[in-house]
Amino acid sequence: MAKKIKNLQLWGLIFIASSAAGWYGYYLPRADSFMIHWLIMLVAGCVIYGYKNNILFKMFGNKSVPIILSDIIISAACWLIPKIELPRGLSIVIMIVAVVIIQSIILWRYTLPKININKNG
C-alpha cells in the first residue's frame, strides 16, 4: 500500500506541477499556443491526488486531514509561485524545486510512517 501511495503522490505532483509550468512557461507568453493539454494534465493530477487522498481518508479517517490539506496547499502553490515576476522563467524553476522538496518531506516524514504504523498496529 505504501508503494501505491508513493506512486500516486509522485504522479499527481508531476501532472499538477507540469501543467502549471506549461501554462505559465508556454501558453501565456505565446498568443498561438494550445491550452487544452495543460488543462487535461491539471485535471489528471487532481484526480490522482483525489484518489490517493480518498485511500488515506479510508485508512486514517480524520487523522488524514492535515495530509490532504497539504496536498491542496501544494497544488495551489504550483499555480501561485510562477506568478512571481522573475527573469527567464526562474519562478517556474523555483516552484518545481520547492514543491518537490516540500512534498517529499511530507511523504517521507508524515504519510509513510503513518501507513507503516497502521500496517503494523
Side-chain angles (χ1 to χ4, degrees), residues 69-80:
L69 287 176
S70 71
D71 285 345
I72 293 169
I73 291 168
I74 289 171
S75 298
C78 285
W79 287 88
L80 295 176

Side-chain angles (χ1 to χ4, degrees), residues 25-42:
Y26 296 104
Y27 175 69
L28 290 182
R30 293 165 183 83
D32 62 341
S33 296
F34 190 61
M35 84 167 151
I36 192 72
H37 58 286
W38 303 121
L39 296 177
I40 290 170
M41 288 175 65
L42 175 63

Side-chain angles (χ1 to χ4, degrees), residues 11-20 23 35-51 75 79:
W11 285 106
L13 183 62
I14 286 172
F15 279 118
I16 290 175
S18 297
S19 67
W23 183 266
M35 84 167 151
I36 192 72
H37 58 286
W38 303 121
L39 296 177
I40 290 170
M41 288 175 65
L42 175 63
V43 170
C46 291
V47 167
I48 291 170
Y49 264 174
Y51 178 65
S75 298
W79 287 88

Side-chain angles (χ1 to χ4, degrees), residues 64-107:
S64 66
V65 170
I67 297 170
I68 294 169
L69 287 176
S70 71
D71 285 345
I72 293 169
I73 291 168
I74 289 171
S75 298
C78 285
W79 287 88
L80 295 176
I81 293 173
K83 288 183 154 250
I84 300 169
E85 294 290 329
L86 295 174
R88 301 176 195 251
L90 189 58
S91 60
I92 295 172
V93 174
I94 290 171
M95 176 269 298
I96 291 171
V97 171
V99 298
V100 166
I101 290 171
I102 293 168
Q103 196 66 284
S104 297
I105 291 169
I106 291 169
L107 181 68

